[in-house]
Amino acid sequence: MYKLKPVSIRVLKMREMYRNTVPKVCTARLKIVTDFYQNNPNITGILKRGLVFKEIAEKTPVLISQGEVVVGSMAATYRGSALFPENDIAWMQVDYDAGKLFNRELDPYIIEEEDWDYIKSVIPYWEKNSLSAMVDQYIPEGYFNAVGNQVTVYNGKNICTAPVGHFCTNYDKAIRKGFGAVKAEAQAKMAEMEGHMSGNMIEQYNFYRSVVIVCDGMITLSKRYAAEAAQQARECTDPARKAELEMMADSLNWIMKNPARTFYEAIQVMMLYQIGLCLHNNMHGISFGRVDQYLSSFYEADLAAGRTTPEKAQEIFDLFALKVAEMNKIWFSGTTLTVTGYTVGQLMTLGGVDKDNNDASNAVTYMMLQTAGRLLLHDPPMSLRIHKNTPAELWEAALETTKICGGVPTFENDDVIIPALMRNGRMDLQSARNYTLIGCVEPAGCGDEWPACGGSGGEAYWNMPMAVLHAINDGHNPMADRYGNITEKRTGANTGYLYEMETFEDVLEAVKTQYQFFLEWQMTMVNMFEVVAAEHMSQPLVSCMMDGCMESGKDVMKGGAKNNSSGVPGVGIGNAVDSLVAIKYMVYDKKLCTGKELLDACLTNWEGKEDLHQFILNKVPHFGNDDEYADEWAAWLLNLFADIVASFTSIRGCKFAPGLYPVATNVLWGLLTPATPDGRRKHEPLSDGISPVQQLDKHGPTALLKSVVHIPQEKYSNGTLLNMKFHPSALSNETGMAKLIALMKTYFNLGGMELQLNVISGETMRKAQENPEEYKDLVVRVAGYSAYFVELFKNCQDDLIRRTEIDL
Amino acid sequence: MSESIVKGKVYDIQGFSVQDGPGIRTTIFLKGCPLSCPWCHSPESQAFRSQLSWISMRCIGVEQCGKCIKACPKGAIKAGNAVKKSGTDEAISYVSIDRSLCDDCGDCTKVCYPGALYLCGEDYTVEELLKRVSKDIPFYDESGGGVTVSGGEALSQAEFTFELLKGLKERKIHTALDTTGFTDPKNIQQVLPYTDLFLYDLKNMDSSQHKIVTGVPNERILDNARRIAEAGGKLQIRVPIIPNFSDSEENIRLTGEFCRSLGDAVVLIQLLPYHDLGIVKYQRIYDDVKVLKAEPPSDEKIMELKKILEDFGLTVTVH
Ligand code: SF4
Ligand code: SF4
């Protein structure tokens, strides 16, 4: 029987502080960066990004809160949020003007008046100097015709509010080698080149130069924390805490420059490197990678040497996780709708196979699950890699954790993901076996790949049913897009109207044309963004540890990493597939209505067409019921999507990688998507992940899983996401658990890639809506992330309740 | 062959059914039962014919629809009371069915797309069912599961059940038969070679009480159980714990003794404490609730009874 271990008082107090602190916006970073940019217009490119990090490392507030052992802060106050103007900060003015800045409905922040005055004063500068402003200049002329389509997210301006993110650099190297060694390596490379640089060697030289600068920055940051710890030690009257602070000071003086010596030091390196990356980069899906793999040898060595006990190590890990949980950033209010709960996606991966394909789980794997289960933390999110030889006790520990902490961990299938990652030249076997998860569910190299998961700049989410609608509506979007653009013009390709299509094959042709049209635009826009961003947002701090960059002398943004990829995730799969099926069934196979009737019904939101609407919802086959009539089209459509995406090349020379996950865009996008032929009404959420349309899977979980394996998941190396909701009674005893494990294993054997569970009843969620205070700690899986249920946006809560619940 | 000729009346097929035997199973529920247990939680299983059923929640209201009213040749349906549509303030009227006029012809169900009105009981051939349940073979294989044939009393449709079980075994699918045991011994004899496990109800060891409450005595049931055991069949005994009927220590002790007397044929005893979920289902097919209403037994009580059986060396679970 799986048991939760006791939590120490110190950890409980820390958790309380985390849960009870309303984050405050801190302008320190904004000021450092603005001053640097304004005072140094002559410093550009990779040097600018290197030097600005050094500046941050020297000046960012150093904060060690009471009782902390693992340290590192984004801001001057506990749980504070830094500001990141380099991408875009004009959104703050937009929110302010809309009255949404000071009283945010979701994820509230404290903003001092005087801080707002300062922010306001620098917005005009950044409006001309942010990456977003620069990228806008490069939008291809033809794209303006497509603006307003709502298939791609890009508008005609401000298209890169989401920063470069979603990656995992090599923390293991940072821990075991240190920044001192990497700096020396870069200096040696420079010395070698000095005075005789032909061709583009000068670019390499500049890269190494920038590496030296950021390594110094990392070491400086650590030493500043060491000084603060030493200072607090001197003032401390409690002898135990004093000794602890002295130990911390000693470690902080040593690490970053030198290899870590203990479990604690290894964790502290990860933490400070993370703080560095986030302060440099705008924290956006910056993921930790295979944490249990980095830490295991340190833990075992400490135990053997008597330097630690399992309890002490567990406490340090608890404190580490709470430290990560505390990190957050204020988002644009509109974006907050899709990533509520102060979510920033600092994912940790556990389990999986090692380089020889043996099980790699270890004591730290269990320690991580203990942390999530005992502290009910949705952040850091965790992903468990499953394979044929995953030990039974790890299955049990993971399921027990997800029962109490919704969706933590997610379950990832090595047996599908590893071969998927080796497709299309993405990576070799060695890298693939060492993969990690990024952001929410995206497989990527662990410290050796620049995956640009989810695209760069604007998120790369792509609205699948909307493209189907374009296909039958001659390329028109009948509804205003999220920027309020409503347009008479054709935003897609010219494919004619449904009633002009004589056969279902004609419909399929039209769908192909629109998919090609919008996917090409999608990838064009990502490439356009990357070209500009590679110049202005170099990543020397990531690159210095990432495998391949030191060897090639190239930044990750320029393709320097050992492996490269670029993800494009589709959203609303269930609706898109069901739309095709409904068209086929109603108009062509059974001829129960005309194409005109069906299209008109969509354009008028089924007004006055309730009979047709009910017939489609209830009598037409739907994806998710193990019915070949419908499932065949899932295979067709998702092969189409995957093949188009995989054929396109990124500026870094790699191929694009298709994915199928929505974060929670399915709810927001539903609000912006007209009625669709599958019977979905206007404004209703799109289907979630690769799930069937909410509540239209009527034959239970086995049929659902059989349907979703029609999706060629092995082609989706950017990840797929399947949420399942179980009633608690389904897992109340050992037989229930065993059957659930068998269910999951069968899904994985049949080609399923990922699965995440909510074990909760609709009733509990409804109660939580009524009495949020009582359900403050209820963690649920939303889509690509977990969150405290009561902190979610109402539509999102409703969507969760609406999803099909499996009971017994 | 005869397989495709025999038809069975099925009222439900449930995938991922995990309470009806080992592993992940599909349970096929056949209509019709010779007993009439007042606590029955699937009242729709009792009658042998198809019956008109009604789930109010699904009705979209006569204002928008009302098609069933026109469809009924007997004039049995009219507009009923106004209610609030779930999740909104919109008032809609459900329909009301006059059961005395209705002959379960099913015409109304054909026009009711939302499925508020539906016929409970559909005819299937063995072939059709085999095709349907074979889809989940990967799940049966991984979990050690299979197919359970249940009811009603499945052996009331003896020929069909026999063909079905035989077909399943030909496809190497694990089979379980959920039965009251109240059937002609030759039916048992016939299915024995094709049934890996009998889910077998022992409701009360006292035959006269058994008769008063369920409508039939228990001798034949006990005999059939012995017959199965002698033939080497496996039994999973199910004991419904019904207040003031089967919940006495005496009854449970006698049940334990009986099970012991069957040697190692009994692999598991399941205690099924009474619950009142059946009431909702009654309302789908009847106007008045005939189902037994009682206080569900306490957890302590169940644990005591469980202990009595365990003292016989039997393995016991509670559901
Ligand atoms: S046909 Fe069905 S949905 Fe329509 S009014 Fe009758 S019961 Fe309601
Ligand atoms: S089953 Fe037939 S008789 Fe009964 S209400 Fe429906 S249409 Fe009328």
Side-chain angles (χ1 to χ4, degrees), chain A residues 610-611 614-615 618-619 625-627 699 701-703 705-706 726 739-740 742-743 745-747 749-750 806 808, chain B residues 15-16 18-19 21-24 60 64-65 67 109 111-115 132 135-136 138-139 142-143 318-319:
Chain A
E610 199 46 38
D611 206 38
Q614 290 298 334
F615 190 90
N618 297 293
K619 300 285 164 188
N625 296 291
D626 200 6
D627 179 347
H699 288 98
T702 55
L705 294 174
K706 287 281 298 296
F726 285 83
K739 288 173 188 185
L740 175 63
L743 186 78
K745 283 187 176 169
T746 312
Y747 176 57
N749 291 341
L750 293 173
I806 300 154
L808 300 172
Chain B
F16 196 62
V18 298
Q19 311 266 10
I24 296 173
I60 58 169
Q64 276 205 73
C65 175
K67 284 160 51 193
T109 64
V111 298
C112 181
Y113 301 153
R132 167 84 183 266
K135 289 182 171 189
D136 277 2
F139 296 96
E142 180 69 42
S143 65
V318 178
H319 282 283

Side-chain angles (χ1 to χ4, degrees), chain A residues 454-617:
Chain A
S456 298
E459 299 285 0
Y461 299 109
W462 199 89
N463 186 337
M464 293 214 173
M466 196 64 201
V468 173
L469 210 55
H470 273 80
I472 58 170
N473 196 34
D474 196 29
H476 293 276
N477 173 8
M479 215 170 115
D481 75 358
R482 67 155 147 188
Y483 307 97
N485 302 307
I486 178 140
T487 166
E488 284 299 300
K489 74 175 187 226
R490 184 180 289 125
T491 47
N494 171 359
T495 48
Y497 294 96
L498 179 58
Y499 47 83
E500 296 168 345
M501 302 173 190
E502 277 173 25
T503 63
F504 185 59
E505 279 60 48
D506 295 343
V507 179
L508 296 179
E509 266 320 303
V511 170
K512 270 193 208 167
T513 306
Q514 300 291 358
Y515 269 55
Q516 186 81 32
F517 178 86
F518 284 115
L519 279 169
E520 287 194 355
W521 266 123
Q522 175 74 47
M523 294 182 278
T524 301
M525 296 297 273
V526 171
N527 277 347
M528 179 277 296
F529 167 83
E530 279 208 22
V531 167
V532 184
E535 283 314 310
H536 299 281
M537 287 299 274
S538 309
Q539 304 290 343
L541 187 59
V542 179
S543 306
C544 68
M545 290 296 165
M546 182 75 83
D547 289 5
C549 294
M550 285 300 286
E551 293 81 351
S552 62
K554 269 205 273 185
D555 190 79
V556 287
M557 296 288 285
K558 299 249 175 168
K562 179 182 167 202
N563 302 305
N564 282 281
S565 181
S566 190
V568 179
V571 179
I573 290 91
N575 302 106
V577 171
D578 280 359
S579 290
L580 287 183
V581 176
I583 292 169
K584 179 171 192 283
Y585 189 94
M586 298 301 293
V587 182
Y588 299 98
D589 286 2
K590 309 277 169 184
K591 300 193 174 34
L592 295 169
C593 70
T594 65
K596 181 105 178 61
E597 273 175 283
L598 185 55
L599 179 57
D600 284 351
C602 292
L603 302 184
T604 55
N605 197 24
W606 306 101
E607 219 49 67
K609 291 263 191 280
E610 199 46 38
D611 206 38
L612 180 64
H613 184 220
Q614 290 298 334
F615 190 90
I616 290 177
L617 283 179

Side-chain angles (χ1 to χ4, degrees), chain A residues 716-778:
Chain A
Y716 283 83
S717 73
N718 184 219
T720 68
L721 178 153
L722 181 64
N723 263 302
M724 288 181 100
K725 190 166 93 184
F726 285 83
H727 192 277
S729 66
L731 295 179
S732 57
N733 58 29
E734 272 167 49
T735 18
M737 285 289 232
K739 288 173 188 185
L740 175 63
I741 292 173
L743 186 78
M744 294 172 71
K745 283 187 176 169
T746 312
Y747 176 57
F748 285 167
N749 291 341
L750 293 173
M753 188 179 254
E754 192 267 4
L755 190 63
Q756 47 193 41
L757 310 172
N758 271 315
V759 183
I760 186 172
S761 66
E763 195 191 332
T764 305
M765 287 192 268
R766 271 188 290 270
K767 279 192 194 148
Q769 280 185 324
E770 282 160 26
N771 303 307
E773 258 313 300
E774 269 173 54
Y775 291 87
K776 204 168 122 217
D777 285 331
L778 177 66

Side-chain angles (χ1 to χ4, degrees), chain B residues 9 12 30 41-43 131 139 142 174 192 233 252 266 286:
Chain B
K9 208 172 260 313
D12 200 6
L30 300 183
H41 56 254
S42 28
K131 193 167 161 227
F139 296 96
E142 180 69 42
H174 180 276
L192 249 166
I252 298 302
V266 176
Y286 301 114

